[in-house]
Amino acid sequence: MNRLALGIAGMALLHAGPAATWLPAVRRGLPGLAGVGARDHVALTFDDGPGPESTPWFLDELARLRCRATFFVLGEMLERSPALGRRIAEEGHEMAVHGWRHDNALLTRPGRVTAEMGRAAGLVTAVTGVRPVWYRPPYGVLSAETLVAARRWELRPVLWTAWAKDWTRSATPASVLATLGPGLRGGATILLHDSDHTSAPGAWRSALGALGELVDRCRSAGLRVGPLSDHGYLA
């Protein structure tokens, strides 16, 4: 997102209210921020990892599917499992920033989001050798500080067009597919979780169990599936 677009997005957020950015109506009004991309592509993204008990299963399944994705990592999780972070990058996936901790930007003291976003971005670079491009705020909450911080650290904010609600205790592979169904179209950015760090224990299994069918459905519809870097992202 260039500076002009970022400024426009910031004004829109201030008008709509920063905590409202996760709402579908707000994201429809900001297609670039929502992650709307090329009509023949679906961006596959994962939040909250890397988790040593769960992320390797997703990497194995993605390898089986010959599919790449974007992983929005938490700095505190990557710090605990740097080898797993290197594996994500070595297997051709894109690593992006989800913050240091999974904190709501509206409830943190001034300056903390900026410092921790930079710390997380620096760790991604140190672990993978690649500077991250994307930033997704926890809970989808973009405050004025997060927008300014993203520009400072040269990160592009992006949310999602469809989420799976895979973080709940009752989630199953079938519920994940049913929830994503209406939003599964060309240009979509799909939000899943490869860790239960902030979810119900074991909830990641619902996303993992749905992953193969999800990719198959996209490909059967003539859609490519991959990371945000291949998404033809609207800047």
Side-chain angles (χ1 to χ4, degrees):
M1 182 178 291
N2 60 36
R3 292 192 175 190
L4 176 60
L6 192 58
I8 293 171
M11 289 186 288
L13 290 173
L14 290 175
H15 177 72
T21 55
W22 64 271
L23 293 172
V26 176
R27 287 185 282 110
R28 281 196 296 270
L30 298 168
L33 180 63
V36 177
R39 293 182 179 180
D40 68 340
H41 189 266
V42 170
L44 183 61
T45 71
F46 296 93
D47 283 7
D48 292 1
E53 295 183 354
S54 54
T55 302
W57 291 93
F58 285 89
L59 294 175
D60 289 346
E61 179 68 352
L62 289 167
R64 184 187 72 81
L65 295 166
R66 297 183 180 179
C67 183
R68 296 182 299 122
T70 300
F71 287 80
F72 285 88
V73 301
L74 293 169
E76 65 174 354
M77 298 292 281
L78 182 59
E79 186 177 52
R80 297 171 191 168
S81 302
L84 184 52
R86 283 190 290 272
R87 179 185 169 187
I88 291 172
E90 288 169 357
E91 295 188 7
H93 304 291
E94 184 176 41
M95 199 174 298
V97 175
H98 197 34
W100 189 265
R101 300 176 179 84
H102 203 277
D103 291 335
N104 187 322
L106 300 180
L107 303 178
T108 59
R109 60 175 173 76
R112 179 171 168 179
V113 169
T114 301
E116 293 193 347
M117 190 188 301
R119 183 182 177 192
L123 181 59
V124 169
T125 302
V127 168
T128 68
V130 178
R131 186 173 183 175
V133 173
W134 310 100
Y135 169 69
R136 174 178 288 156
Y139 306 107
V141 174
L142 279 167
S143 66
E145 182 181 345
T146 59
L147 289 169
V148 172
R151 183 170 62 182
R152 173 178 176 179
W153 301 117
E154 299 183 348
L155 296 169
R156 300 181 187 181
V158 62
L159 301 177
W160 59 87
T161 66
W163 62 8
K165 296 185 178 179
D166 56 336
W167 59 86
T168 65
R169 190 176 301 277
S170 61
T172 65
S175 75
V176 166
L177 291 167
T179 303
L180 285 176
L184 201 59
R185 59 176 66 92
T189 291
I190 303 299
L191 168 58
L192 296 168
H193 295 79
D194 64 303
S195 166
D196 61 10
H197 179 60
T198 61
S199 306
W204 59 269
R205 292 184 175 87
S206 64
L208 178 66
L211 187 54
E213 178 66 19
L214 172 64
V215 172
D216 286 347
R217 287 186 185 183
C218 291
R219 289 173 172 168
S220 294
L223 301 172
R224 298 176 296 119
V225 183
L228 282 165
S229 58
D230 293 345
H231 198 40
Y233 183 76
L234 296 181

